[in-house]
Amino acid sequence: MNRRKCLGLMLVVIFVAIGIAFAAAWPDAVMNKVNEIHELEKAQKEMPASIEGIPNISGDKAYELWKSKKAVFLDNRIKVQYDTERIPGATWFFCDDLIKQGPSMADKLDKNKEYIVYCNGIKCWRSPSVAVMLHSLGYKVYWYRDGLPDWKKRGYPTE
């Protein structure tokens, strides 16, 4: 009888673990889009000019929203780049972690706020991928396709 209980408990643990793993996963359609975007970077190609359902914003519009504090900037680059230079007030929100941790990582964001995602410009896959994932969860997200290189080129402040 103890052996049966032990086996039953092990099966319950396994099924719960499997359920948690699948609950944290991104839907196939979202990951397919993210993978398409990542393949563009691997091929050293530019990111798409637009992504369905996700507004692109220009540097001027990004700056306007930054000055007015009407949107939260999410820096999707690697940590060392974020620590070295970023748009003032931007929050580090790493794309790779969002993929690995799943949708629950976005729980710390407020769905009532607007977000601007950016990375290293037109050949960087991270911000369009984050835009796709956050959009799929119902967040209001803008993609600053030209990213930090454009911001700096325009002479806007960095920290």
Side-chain angles (χ1 to χ4, degrees), residues 5 26 44 50-51 54 73 112 119 126 129 148 158:
K5 285 183 181 179
W26 290 99
Q44 299 181 337
S50 63
I51 300 171
I54 302 167
F73 282 72
N112 295 314
C119 57
R126 287 187 168 92
S129 296
L148 191 60
T158 59

Side-chain angles (χ1 to χ4, degrees), residues 34 37-38 41 47 95-96 99 123-129:
V34 167
I37 292 167
H38 197 189
E41 184 186 63
M47 296 301 110
C95 174
D96 302 44
I99 291 169
K123 290 191 175 184
C124 182
W125 71 281
R126 287 187 168 92
S127 64
S129 296

Side-chain angles (χ1 to χ4, degrees), residues 45-123:
K45 294 184 178 179
E46 289 186 6
M47 296 301 110
S50 63
I51 300 171
E52 186 178 339
I54 302 167
N56 274 356
I57 60 167
S58 67
D60 289 337
K61 182 66 175 174
Y63 184 67
E64 178 186 312
L65 290 168
W66 176 79
K67 278 184 19 182
S68 68
K69 299 184 187 215
K70 290 185 178 178
V72 176
F73 282 72
L74 299 178
D75 188 318
N76 309 132
R77 300 171 305 142
I78 61 174
K79 184 76 162 105
V80 69
Q81 292 171 330
Y82 171 81
D83 288 342
T84 301
E85 185 175 43
R86 64 189 163 274
I87 294 173
T91 300
W92 186 58
F93 197 79
F94 192 43
C95 174
D96 302 44
D97 289 346
L98 184 59
I99 291 169
K100 290 175 194 166
Q101 293 177 27
S104 65
M105 183 179 156
D107 289 348
K108 63 184 173 184
L109 301 177
D110 183 345
K111 284 200 175 176
N112 295 314
K113 293 185 178 181
E114 295 182 343
Y115 294 92
I116 297 173
V117 295
Y118 74 91
C119 57
N120 289 318
I122 62 174
K123 290 191 175 184

Side-chain angles (χ1 to χ4, degrees), residues 13-14 20 23 33 39 44 50 52 84 86 91 137 150 153:
V13 168
I14 289 170
I20 290 170
K33 186 64 180 169
E39 288 301 316
Q44 299 181 337
S50 63
E52 186 178 339
T84 301
R86 64 189 163 274
T91 300
L137 297 172
D150 179 67
K153 183 174 126 186

Side-chain angles (χ1 to χ4, degrees), residues 9 25-26 47 59 85 105 118 131-132 135 138-139 143 146 149 151:
L9 182 59
W26 290 99
M47 296 301 110
E85 185 175 43
M105 183 179 156
Y118 74 91
V132 166
H135 176 73
Y139 289 91
W143 177 32
D146 296 329
W151 185 270

